[in-house]
Amino acid sequence: MRRTFVTSLVASLAIFAFGAAGLSAQGATATLTGRVTAQDGGNAIAGAQISVLSNVTGIKTGGLTREDGRYMIPGLKPGPYRIEVRIIGYGTQIVNDLRLKAGETHQLDFVLGTQAVSMDAIEVFSQRAVDRKTPVAYSNVDQMQMQRQLASRDLPLILNTKPSVYATAQGGGAGDSRINVRGFDQNNVAVMINGVPVNDMENGWVYWSDWDGIGDVSKSIQLQRGLSAVNLATPSIGGSLNIITDPASQKPGVLLKQEFGNDGFLKTTGVVKTGLLNDKYALMAGVVRKTGDGWVQGTWTDAWAYYAAGTFILNHSNRFDLFALGAPQRHGQNLYAQNIGAFDQKYALSLPGYLPAAAQDYPQAAAGRRYNENYNTITMDPGTQAIGTERLDLYKKGFMNERMNFYNKPQINLNWYSQLSGDLLWSTVAYYSGGKGGGTGTIGNLVWDYSGPSRIVNWDATIQRNDTSSTGALGVLRSSRNNQWTWGAISKLKATVSDAVTVEGGVDWRSATIEHYQEVFDLLGGSYFNCSSATYCGPSDFWTGTQSQRGLGQKLNYYETNTVNWIGGYLQGQYASGPATVYGMGGISSVKYSFTDHFRDDGTGKPYKLESSSVPGYQLKAGGLYNLNDQFDVFVNAGYVAKVPILDNVINDVYGILNQDPTTQKYTDVEAGMEYHASGVPLTAKVNVYNTQWRDRSTTSSLYDPTTGQDYYITMTGVNELHRGLELEAAYQPVSAVRLDLSASFGNWKYTDDVSGTYRVPGVDTIVDYSFYIKNLKVGDAPQTQFAYGVSLFPTSGLFLQVQGFSFANYYAKFNPFDRTDPTDRTQSWKVPNYSLFNLHATYDLPKSFTRGLDVQVFAHLFNLFNQVYIQDATDNSSYNAYDYNHSADDAEVFMGAPRTFNMGLKINY
């Protein structure tokens, strides 16, 4: 069922409004009141944050304690609540299941001591934003929301409910999702698990398949948009994503969950939690098994995930946490986007600018939007496959993938929190991550089938040709391997100078060694593969005799080792007194890279090596928040970042060239916002504006000078972006049975200037000009206007129903600004059609009288409820799939969004 953006948005808002229309009066409410004091001396604690979370609706309200330590929160609906009191220096105390009755005033006092810090250590270490205290724009996703909405999708997809966040599954492979925040891709979003950054050390990317299963054991997720309050030496630009899996805060019990879904999806989850035992120990362990065929052809998944965590509270001053997680998996991929007509001719021809002639060039595949260029059927036996010395068979008879990912990246953290004195907290984490795996592709000359909209490998014909070749296989499957070993440590020292002033500093050290090489994955019927005579296969300088005839599992084409050495530090001060909080911080960082080519002789019989000098970067941030009264608070923050370059901007590891003059890219950000907690009404709202400038975005290019016979690596700078926007979040519970949620974001992201520059060819007197014509072109790759809205219903005890809607507009296709070298071409990149989607979520907790005391829940999810046809990812003027290169619909390559899919199952807690 297809809908225009306006029609869908109107329908969405009508559904949203329906929940509030015709509802009865609110009825009697409860009031929560009390006092917060210090254990030592009994003094009142002013400015403590009181958070009140409904265990039924998930809506949160709260307030701050006054100078006398007292607080009062009126207008609470009858029912169970989770009450949390938090303040830096004392930590957090929690009451998990407080039941309030209609018309009552309930007294709840708290006495906080320094030992409470150990209960809140992981969140303190991860620099989580605190309501009405931290001056940043942020959104939380708690455990309840994850359980009700995630449904075993990749973790970023749940964040589409938040302003300025756009996450998609891209080609549909398990774990191949991506996230964009405020127009910045995930290279510029810092992702942390329990306070440890997990972005790739070479390029900053995040591979979500590495963290499959993390959603099943997460306590909460917090997204801080913009420069954020995170004080690691690694600065965030689009935002910071904090994932917390604290074992000590989990209720004891055993969880068993069985899920079913479309296209053969099966997932079994088991989690054991002890809770906090004897106020000292806590353990949690989980195992996940997931299989499925995938909604796109060939995007099967065969995955495990494991998680283990332990907490040991030595005494009131020292706590240790140990975390270990990993996700060994294989999955089929769909990496090649297509011309729109390859997926849906009728839809393509309905779009302005899509020419009928283009439809003839790109005929629709029989599989429609399930089409995958990286997949084809097979009847012959391709032979044994290899991952190093490991041997394996074809995943499933009848088809074969050109592109498959296999990886396992376990991570182990040891955290130590020590309250050295009442005024001094030391937090340290040491961690290790060891990734091993890669992805497959083709090398050499294979037999291709061109009968469809794009070429696909004819496996049977390739195997038959290889089998009869007298010179070995002519084309094979190779795997591109990425094996890495990362060690790191983060240490922070926080001092409470006075009741109002805290000062902290820290260091961040990381060192990674990464191997890159290709190896023969499948000989496709051949006996060996001759790298020396194959197209695009570079032999090693160290091979002799017949060593260029590569066998199964042997390295070929390239074999390199990169190292990344990172060091950084920061110093931060905060003043918090009464209604005001002000902070400022400064941080420095330095990165150094090296490169070793094990296939290239440096002229002395040894492998060729390069090493960069240390490249510095820094960041400065400051902000303030003021509580105007019990309902309103306002904040402002600003920051400047000079970000260290990624490895590709320092060393070209394809040709082995060192960039002698790498540049830092600069970011300036200013934000302001307001938060509102209604008095007597369960209503919360946040609104904020931001202005982020990205200056000196650079690109690099290799250059060969025939005069000197040398290769050079040239940096071209000067591309500037401006990201501005407004963001809104609101939640309202008009009656106890209904909750309404709304988020909206309105962005204006563009390139601000044309670029002109020159570079000098090293060693000669040649000066080369370059120009990019990009002024006022919109930044692509994400919708600049977004809405998310939901109606949640609680019609009877244990039953939850929710309709979610999403509307996206002003989405300009992705393009490379460094490709815009034609001064006559000022056309915006192709604009993706606006679209809206709806999801349906339902859970029901069976009565315990029926389940003999067990907590049993059945659940079901429907995604893309109306089976909308839409485009979720697009690239303008595709090098592979454009028809006439005029930035219109027939020149884009896209990934279509998933059709209607479902997830359902049963969960047992005891």
Side-chain angles (χ1 to χ4, degrees):
M1 183 177 185
R2 296 177 180 171
R3 297 166 179 250
T4 66
F5 175 76
V6 174
T7 302
S8 295
L9 182 56
V10 170
S12 310
L13 295 177
I15 293 174
F16 183 82
F18 175 77
L23 294 172
S24 60
Q26 293 185 40
T29 60
T31 297
L32 183 67
T33 187
R35 190 166 185 254
V36 180
T37 55
Q39 187 179 62
D40 296 334
N43 296 325
I45 298 178
Q49 172 66 43
I50 310 294
S51 296
V52 181
L53 175 71
S54 169
N55 289 340
V56 176
T57 67
I59 201 166
K60 181 187 282 188
T61 185
L64 297 173
T65 56
R66 299 188 294 267
E67 291 296 328
D68 59 0
R70 297 190 180 277
Y71 70 92
M72 183 174 69
I73 303 170
L76 300 174
K77 301 292 183 183
Y81 287 86
R82 181 180 188 270
I83 315 299
E84 179 181 290
V85 58
R86 174 201 301 262
I87 186 169
I88 299 299
Y90 293 92
T92 298
Q93 283 191 8
I94 297 170
V95 176
N96 268 316
D97 194 19
L98 177 67
R99 295 184 176 270
L100 298 178
K101 299 177 181 179
E104 80 166 320
T105 298
H106 188 96
Q107 177 87 15
L108 183 63
D109 297 331
F110 293 92
V111 178
L112 302 184
T114 55
Q115 68 268 25
V117 171
S118 67
M119 296 298 295
D120 193 39
I122 185 68
E123 295 202 15
V124 170
F125 181 78
S126 300
Q127 201 67 24
R128 304 266 291 187
V130 179
D131 284 344
R132 313 202 74 188
K133 280 289 187 183
T134 311
V136 297
Y138 70 95
S139 301
N140 287 324
V141 178
D142 60 25
Q143 197 169 42
M144 182 186 297
Q145 184 179 349
M146 283 185 279
Q147 292 171 354
R148 288 174 170 174
Q149 297 174 357
L150 185 57
S152 293
R153 298 174 295 159
D154 292 347
L155 193 66
L157 299 179
I158 199 172
L159 295 169
N160 276 326
T161 59
K162 306 307 178 184
S164 297
V165 177
Y166 188 64
T168 78
Q170 297 197 104
D176 290 340
S177 294
R178 59 99 173 190
I179 187 172
N180 186 296
V181 182
R182 290 185 175 177
F184 297 97
D185 67 21
Q186 59 192 33
N187 291 52
N188 287 302
V189 177
V191 179
M192 287 163 284
I193 299 177
N194 296 323
V196 173
V198 297
N199 297 71
D200 188 271
M201 285 282 286
E202 291 180 297
N203 59 25
W205 199 252
V206 180
Y207 302 91
W208 293 101
S209 58
D210 294 341
W211 315 111
D212 201 8
I214 190 69
D216 296 291
V217 292
S218 294
K219 171 189 171 186
S220 65
I221 305 171
Q222 184 178 90
L223 175 67
Q224 298 180 25
R225 298 183 296 276
L227 297 186
S228 80
V230 173
N231 49 29
L232 286 177
T234 307
S236 61
I237 309 303
S240 297
L241 190 61
N242 289 275
I243 303 167
I244 298 297
T245 61
D246 186 1
S249 67
Q250 305 278 354
K251 293 181 179 179
V254 176
L255 178 147
L256 297 173
K257 184 165 65 171
Q258 181 61 59
E259 298 173 71
F260 309 87
N262 52 280
D263 300 289
F265 179 82
L266 286 173
K267 181 179 176 183
T268 305
T269 303
V271 180
V272 178
K273 300 171 285 186
T274 67
L276 190 61
L277 302 174
N278 299 323
D279 294 327
K280 281 188 175 294
Y281 310 98
L283 296 172
M284 181 167 67
V287 177
V288 178
R289 174 65 171 141
K290 184 173 76 171
T291 60
D293 297 330
W295 74 269
V296 176
Q297 289 179 322
T299 54
W300 51 271
T301 182
D302 181 6
W304 291 85
Y306 57 87
Y307 176 84
T311 290
F312 172 53
I313 300 176
L314 179 64
N315 50 44
H316 76 279
S317 298
N318 291 276
R319 164 176 164 165
F320 297 89
D321 287 329
L322 179 66
F323 303 96
L325 68 159
Q329 56 83 37
R330 292 191 296 160
H331 73 273
Q333 294 185 288
N334 174 30
L335 293 184
Y336 299 158
Q338 303 293 326
N339 186 280
I340 303 169
F343 293 119
D344 192 322
Q345 289 279 308
K346 184 177 179 181
Y347 176 71
L349 290 169
S350 72
L351 300 176
Y354 196 97
L355 299 178
Q360 296 179 10
D361 273 11
Y362 300 97
Q364 179 173 323
R369 55 180 155 169
R370 297 177 182 266
Y371 174 64
N372 181 0
E373 183 182 341
N374 304 141
Y375 157 97
N376 201 2
T377 57
I378 185 173
T379 60
M380 300 184 71
D381 182 5
T384 303
Q385 299 177 336
I387 301 176
T389 58
E390 179 186 359
R391 298 295 182 262
L392 58 157
D393 295 323
L394 188 66
Y395 171 71
K396 186 179 291 187
K397 291 184 178 180
F399 73 88
M400 190 166 176
N401 295 84
E402 176 191 349
R403 294 286 189 168
M404 180 191 76
N405 177 269
F406 52 94
Y407 215 80
N408 181 21
K409 189 179 182 181
Q411 179 160 316
I412 302 172
N413 303 353
L414 177 60
N415 296 30
W416 175 26
Y417 315 95
S418 182
Q419 191 77 47
L420 300 177
S421 69
D423 298 326
L424 202 59
L425 174 65
W426 184 22
S427 306
T428 300
V429 56
Y431 60 92
Y432 165 76
S433 180
K436 185 178 182 181
T440 65
T442 61
I443 190 168
N445 297 311
L446 288 85
V447 181
W448 298 93
D449 180 353
Y450 291 91
S451 62
S454 55
R455 73 175 194 176
I456 57 176
V457 180
N458 186 324
W459 297 117
D460 289 338
T462 299
I463 293 169
Q464 187 175 23
R465 189 179 69 172
N466 284 344
D467 185 51
T468 58
S469 171
S470 61
T471 58
L474 302 179
V476 300
L477 273 181
R478 51 79 186 162
S479 60
S480 296
R481 298 294 303 273
N482 181 324
N483 300 332
Q484 53 184 270
W485 300 265
T486 301
W487 297 88
I490 304 169
S491 190
K492 303 180 179 183
L493 187 64
K494 184 169 189 170
T496 302
V497 179
S498 66
D499 290 342
V501 178
T502 57
V503 177
E504 64 179 283
V507 294
D508 169 18
W509 166 79
R510 281 172 264 166
S511 180
T513 301
I514 309 101
E515 285 185 337
H516 296 286
Y517 56 87
Q518 288 187 349
E519 65 184 15
V520 179
F521 180 77
D522 194 323
L523 285 166
L524 300 179
S527 55
Y528 62 87
F529 179 65
N530 193 334
C531 189
S532 295
S533 61
T535 306
Y536 307 118
C537 186
S540 170
D541 291 342
F542 301 102
W543 290 346
T544 60
T546 61
Q547 286 183 316
S548 60
Q549 297 178 4
R550 309 308 285 171
L552 200 63
Q554 289 188 315
K555 295 181 178 65
L556 76 165
N557 201 21
Y558 61 82
Y559 175 25
E560 303 155 1
T561 300
N562 297 330
T563 66
V564 183
N565 288 291
W566 179 290
I567 187 70
Y570 78 94
L571 185 64
Q572 177 172 304
Q574 177 176 292
Y575 173 84
S577 179
T581 301
V582 179
Y583 88 99
M585 69 87 64
I588 58 173
S589 56
S590 177
V591 66
K592 186 176 183 179
Y593 300 106
S594 78
F595 164 81
T596 301
D597 188 340
H598 301 282
F599 277 5
R600 181 177 174 182
D601 191 332
D602 68 355
T604 67
K606 296 180 180 179
Y608 177 80
K609 294 184 178 181
L610 293 173
E611 185 172 338
S612 75
S613 58
S614 296
V615 185
Y618 62 93
Q619 60 175 326
L620 299 169
K621 292 191 288 190
L625 182 144
Y626 190 80
N627 293 285
L628 300 172
N629 51 41
D630 289 342
Q631 289 79 46
F632 283 98
D633 61 75
V634 295
F635 77 86
V636 63
N637 67 58
Y640 180 83
V641 173
K643 186 179 178 183
V644 296
I646 62 174
L647 183 141
D648 285 346
N649 287 344
V650 179
I651 295 177
N652 183 324
D653 58 2
V654 175
Y655 299 105
I657 311 171
L658 180 65
N659 184 356
Q660 299 292 344
D661 187 28
T663 60
T664 57
Q665 302 182 57
K666 289 85 175 176
Y667 302 84
T668 304
D669 185 63
V670 179
E671 301 181 25
M674 174 181 291
E675 185 171 357
Y676 172 68
H677 293 269
S679 177
V681 179
L683 169 66
T684 61
K686 299 179 182 180
V687 62
N688 63 273
V689 293
Y690 64 90
N691 186 98
T692 306
Q693 293 179 298
W694 183 357
R695 297 189 178 277
D696 279 338
R697 179 178 173 181
S698 62
T699 189
T700 53
S701 178
S702 59
L703 178 71
Y704 176 73
D705 179 41
T707 305
T708 62
Q710 296 291 317
D711 290 309
Y712 299 101
Y713 209 28
I714 303 301
T715 301
M716 292 175 279
T717 66
V719 171
N720 299 329
E721 295 180 24
L722 178 62
H723 295 240
R724 286 177 173 168
L726 180 147
E727 300 166 335
L728 169 70
E729 274 188 282
Y732 176 47
Q733 185 185 352
V735 294
S736 58
V738 178
R739 168 177 169 148
L740 306 177
D741 290 274
L742 172 67
S743 75
S745 53
F746 307 91
N748 182 13
W749 315 325
K750 64 181 182 179
Y751 298 95
T752 58
D753 306 288
D754 289 336
V755 179
S756 295
T758 62
Y759 60 82
R760 181 181 297 274
V761 179
V764 295
D765 292 328
T766 303
I767 296 178
V768 180
D769 297 319
Y770 62 85
S771 296
F772 309 116
Y773 302 95
I774 55 175
K775 184 175 182 178
N776 292 327
L777 293 184
K778 298 288 189 177
V779 174
D781 203 29
Q784 301 200 19
T785 302
Q786 300 180 214
F787 297 92
Y789 30 86
V791 179
S792 301
L793 304 176
F794 312 89
T796 187
S797 177
L799 180 60
F800 165 78
L801 300 170
Q802 183 183 59
V803 177
Q804 281 184 312
F806 306 88
S807 295
F808 303 102
N810 294 322
Y811 179 3
Y812 295 89
K814 181 180 180 179
F815 71 99
N816 184 354
F818 302 102
D819 289 340
R820 290 296 193 109
T821 57
D822 182 356
T824 65
D825 183 6
R826 298 284 182 168
T827 307
Q828 295 285 357
S829 70
W830 179 62
K831 197 173 182 180
V832 177
N834 302 336
Y835 70 94
S836 293
L837 298 174
F838 294 92
N839 299 334
L840 177 64
H841 307 283
T843 64
Y844 179 58
D845 298 319
L846 276 63
K848 289 190 176 183
S849 59
F850 178 76
T851 62
R852 297 186 177 183
L854 295 177
D855 291 324
V856 179
Q857 182 184 87
V858 292
F859 55 86
H861 310 272
L862 273 176
F863 299 99
N864 193 3
L865 185 61
F866 299 114
N867 204 26
Q868 174 84 0
V869 176
Y870 66 100
I871 294 168
Q872 64 176 3
D873 299 277
T875 300
D876 182 57
N877 270 19
S878 163
S879 300
Y880 303 99
N881 294 301
Y883 178 67
D884 52 9
Y885 296 95
N886 64 354
H887 308 290
S888 58
D890 55 20
D891 300 313
E893 65 176 20
V894 306
F895 284 126
M896 303 297 291
R900 184 188 298 115
T901 59
F902 72 90
N903 173 282
M904 59 189 300
L906 177 73
K907 182 175 68 174
I908 302 174
N909 272 297
Y910 61 95

